[in-house]
Amino acid sequence: MKKFRKVLDGLTTSSPGATVGSPSCGSAAGTPTAAPTPKEIDVQETLVSENFQLCKTVRHGFPYQPTALAFDPVQKILAIGSRSGGVRILGRPGVDCYCQHESGAAVLQLQFLINEGALVSACADDTLHLWNLRQRRPAILHSLKFNRERITFCHLPFQSKWLYVGTERGNTHIVNIESFVLSGYVIMWNKAIELSTKTHPGPVVHLSDSPKDEGKLLIGFESGTIVQWDLRGKKADFRIYYDEAIHSVSWHHEGKQFMCSHSDGSLTLWNLRNTTKPFQVTFPHGKIQKDARKESCKPILKVEYKTCRNSEPFVIFSGGLSYDKAGRRPALTIMHGKAITVLEMDYPIVEFMVLCETPYNNEVQEPYAVVVLLEKDLIVVDLTQSNYPVFENPYPMDIHESPVTCTAYFADCPPDIIPILYSIGAKHKKTGYSQKEWPISGGTWTLGSHTYPEIIITGHADGSIKFWDASAITLQMLYKMKTSKVFEKPKPGEGRAAELVEEDPFAIQMVSWCPQSRMFCVVGISAHIILYRFSKYDANTQIVSLEVRLQCDSDDVISPSENENNPSFSEPGSHSPQPHHQHQHPASPGSRTPEGIKDSIPCLKVKDRAVRVPPGYQSELVIQLLWVDGEPPQQITSLDINSAYGLLAFGNCYGLAVVDYLQKTVILCMSTLDLYGSTDPYQRLTRSPRRNRQSTSGLTELTDNQQSIDMERNKSPTSGHASRRAMLQQLHGVTMYSHDEHHSTTSYCWSDRESRENSFTRSRSSSVSSIDRDTKEAVTTLQFGESYGRKNDVLPTPCLWVGTSLGVVLLIPMSIPTDQEERMEEPVTMGVSGAVLMLKGSVLRFSFLDCMGALIQPPYEVWRDHNAPEDPDRLRRRKLVHFSPSSSQDACGDGHLAVVCSERQAKVFLMPSQSCLFVHNITESSFVLRADVVSVCNSVCLACFCANGHVMTLSLPSLRPLMDVNYLPLTDMRIARTFYFTNGGQALYLSSPTEVQRITYSQEMCDNLQEMLGELFTPIETPEAQNRGFLKGFFGGNAHTFDREELFGEAAAGKASRSLAQHIPGQGGVEGMKVAASGVVGELARARIALDERGQRLGELEERTALMMTSAEAFSKHAHELMLKCKDKKWYQF
């Protein structure tokens, strides 16, 4: 705990704010004014660096670019591997774990050690990994890197410790799962096939042990060759040479037949009694054409052949559809007896797996469900019902249903908001799901003690908004709304939005939500804003629309003298944008000029009829920016709404507009230059006309196109400016700092967004003040609140804080009628700017503290339902809640602290004197992308996320660095656009186009994380194998007497070549030991582990010694025999 005291007298010489080269203090810091001010600031800061630690908590959504699937039928947990090396392990709702291979290599295959709490992953870098799932955070125990061969297929028999590994060369190696070393036993491809065969059989595509005899291994080669290898006899029992390539093989549980899927869309059934030709060949989707030929079909990529006790067996496969039907969707085919059911999928099938009642492959399988992993979805089909319904997925796998374009995160929400959103959202849920319970039900999860209401909001490219319950590190959809419903559907050929945005004209750019008043506001890509109110009742409403002309003329000439002649805000200057209302200027083709140039029309057409709206969020007001002289409106860069004031403010790169949404009027519409009046800190030059005018359409231009960034980098002498400008161009959707004529104007398509999503380079510009003066100055942040608009103000009044891209902070005081009836009739007036403050870089965030260091929340209106039935006994009055700066500061007097953060520095000002108390330069080599004042551990701090991937926290008000972690070494545009801090030391971002990653920077939450996570492994007794009966056991082979240790162990097979594969010990055992190592039990566990390791090493030494002795004895024996043989021979007999 540390106390900070600052005496205001002589502050300009003693405070850090007076640092050389800081342009802020020249105009911001000042001597004490006549207004009452506290004599000293006495803030007890409780936060220290030990309160902060950064770690990932949980990942939600669908695994991006999935590649592999595995299921443990006893533990009932599912694993999904991805192309980026990630592994998601799913159980019952709440049991959701994400692991990542450090190499980042794609996961080729996953194999559970069934009911052992372990998982084997095979990666594209030819490495095998063994994961320990008996801890809440799985870790790698062993790795085995193949040096000379590429892994193509793996198979681990149930209750075996020997893993079969097939390679691209056609060889089959055997790995001991316990020690993760190779056995000396190898099945070479040239031994598996006949010596007379002249061609290589190709890579191994299938390995499985016979259900009849574990000593028989079935090897499938890509070319169509199938070999059953006798592991004991080290020879082939039979070889099949088929002329179609093989994709997969599946056994009948009795071990007498197996089925293969082929590249020509056929299924072959083979009987072990006669392997010269297939017992049956079928083309499930190949019809016989008129010329008696089969129509060509696509390959059947996988087949599963599963038996049932009381019905015909199931044959389930993917692919195999005929080529001639264009546009057919990917399908899963279920053949049950003579019935063939084709289930069409929305996305290509990556992998599927049939779930069966038994883990034993030599018992009747009894399939009950099939898990289908698609490119962008996971579905589970119920096989026990004839219509094959799907199960309702309890995981949030549809975050990416439409690409996510923005996020918002609210921790510690009002407790009533989640139930009410859920109750309204539940009315629109889909039906027709299977009535059975979700079959992936493994693991255990309990609601932790450290939980509070949390809501995540995602905005999407199709204009939809989703509210998610994010409490207790889970994620469940609450409510979905579609903003596109307020607009008319554009008719083909005359979509005005298409000229601004070729695709997704309703895409969400930013959202603003007040949980207390339940007011919700969205900003869309087509320069539109929609304001929503919440209601529990449906209603018939007429959507009110306002149109705003927020665009400057191209030949503006701005000079200081002009500004001095027109300092008043109440009379906008000749260059100020003008408001227009839809009923006065309807959007029609008549709005075009005689030359055909669009003017004074919006991008989208609002519905002009009364519409029936269901309970939930109902549109109250639509605001649209207009085309001006053939130029589309620039994107909206900032937004703030205040329910207590009834005001909504927004800005773009041209200026600022303020709307009174209670009276449905525009009360201010000004260019950024006119906002200064006579206080403009810059001497601006004449602005040249814009020659290449285009709509840099925000999220639509968010192509992350490396070409455009490279072009800017090449054309600019300082690559720092160019990369930063390109980054902000894409992030905010406007050319903020210059009219970059060479910027790429390619239209943006969400569907292939990720193919162009690249990281941006770091900015190296030292100060935003070095940017040319002939630039547009965007309004980058806005904040309503009770403050002091002028230095001599005695009492706080409603104010609007405005931050710009040139680091300027403007305060606009407002006069709002207090009486409810007057508020609905009298106009709100906005006065002359009373303050101009300066920072380095674009202003990102405002926040206010009282003089004791506590956060001052903006005032709000308590929610009331406008559609509720009228109660004659109660007057429906607005109930406002104000947090006045002076209300809690009797001991400290009037005044408050204003925290201002820009992309390069943070400052704390004392209001109303506007003295700069503290300043901290956050970064010189990069720039801040996101900054928020958040509450952590019953205190507040400033959290920042930089473009170079650093996450930082600063104390308040002293701005001491508390944490600085290089979290994301390479930050891309997706993360920059979606990163969001919230209270409780939490944050989130979109880690991939389909996944949300939540992190915490609170030490307390890191400590409690183990308790909050689910357990993947639960002790379950392995089901007993069925009694096979005497005759079956006698005639069915000696499967149970097969001892793999005798064949594959080092004593029998010897050691594999060291150059073939390299063993890499993992950290899983160490992590597990760290968790256990607490107190005496931990010490005992450590001692036991050390003894075990020592005993293991001694055992290995003993084995090596025994081997050496055996080898020496054998050598002695051979030498003795040779001596006896040669003893009586003459020299000429040799």
Side-chain angles (χ1 to χ4, degrees), residues 553-568:
D553 295 331
S554 61
D555 55 351
D556 282 348
V557 179
I558 308 297
S559 66
S561 60
E562 285 185 359
N563 291 332
E564 286 165 11
N565 294 336
N566 184 20
S568 173

Side-chain angles (χ1 to χ4, degrees), residues 55-61 88 94-98 137 409 456 470-475 967 986-989 991 995-1000 1005 1009 1012-1014:
C55 70
K56 294 179 180 178
T57 54
V58 68
R59 183 174 290 211
H60 303 296
R88 279 283 285 285
V95 178
D96 187 342
C97 181
Y98 174 76
R137 291 263 187 182
Y409 190 10
I456 292 171
S471 310
I473 71 168
T474 60
L475 195 71
Y967 173 60
Q986 297 197 74
L988 66 76
Y989 59 91
S991 57
E995 295 167 288
V996 169
Q997 178 68 58
R998 289 164 70 179
I999 63 173
T1000 181
M1005 188 163 183
L1009 192 58
M1012 299 166 76
L1013 294 173

Side-chain angles (χ1 to χ4, degrees), residues 499 589 591-599 630:
E499 300 179 37
S591 303
R592 295 171 183 264
T593 61
E595 294 83 7
I597 298 173
K598 287 186 178 182
D599 188 52

Side-chain angles (χ1 to χ4, degrees), residues 1037-1084:
N1038 54 347
H1040 291 280
T1041 61
F1042 176 60
D1043 187 358
R1044 293 183 178 89
E1045 187 70 38
E1046 281 185 15
L1047 286 174
F1048 308 145
E1050 193 175 316
K1055 283 187 176 180
S1057 170
R1058 286 188 179 181
S1059 61
L1060 186 61
Q1062 175 190 357
H1063 176 259
I1064 305 165
Q1067 296 296 316
V1070 177
E1071 292 297 322
M1073 189 176 76
K1074 282 180 182 174
V1075 173
S1078 56
V1080 180
V1081 177
E1083 293 297 328
L1084 287 171

Side-chain angles (χ1 to χ4, degrees), residues 41 249 499 534 761 922 968 981 985:
I41 303 294
V249 181
E499 300 179 37
F534 187 83
T761 52
I922 299 171
L968 294 164
F981 290 105

Side-chain angles (χ1 to χ4, degrees), residues 789-805:
R790 302 171 185 83
K791 287 187 179 182
N792 57 356
D793 282 356
V794 177
L795 295 173
T797 57
C799 289
L800 175 62
W801 287 65
V802 181
T804 76
S805 56

Side-chain angles (χ1 to χ4, degrees), residues 307-326:
T307 51
C308 304
R309 270 190 196 86
N310 304 317
S311 65
E312 295 287 322
F314 278 92
V315 176
I316 302 172
F317 60 88
S318 61
L321 298 176
S322 57
Y323 278 107
D324 62 342
K325 293 183 181 176

Side-chain angles (χ1 to χ4, degrees), residues 38 41 788 796 849-854 856 884-897 910-911:
I41 303 294
Y788 301 86
L849 310 177
D850 63 23
C851 289
M852 303 302 291
I856 302 173
S884 174
S886 58
S887 60
S888 61
Q889 304 180 107
D890 297 333
C892 197
D894 295 331
H896 71 89
L897 303 175
L910 178 65
M911 303 301 291

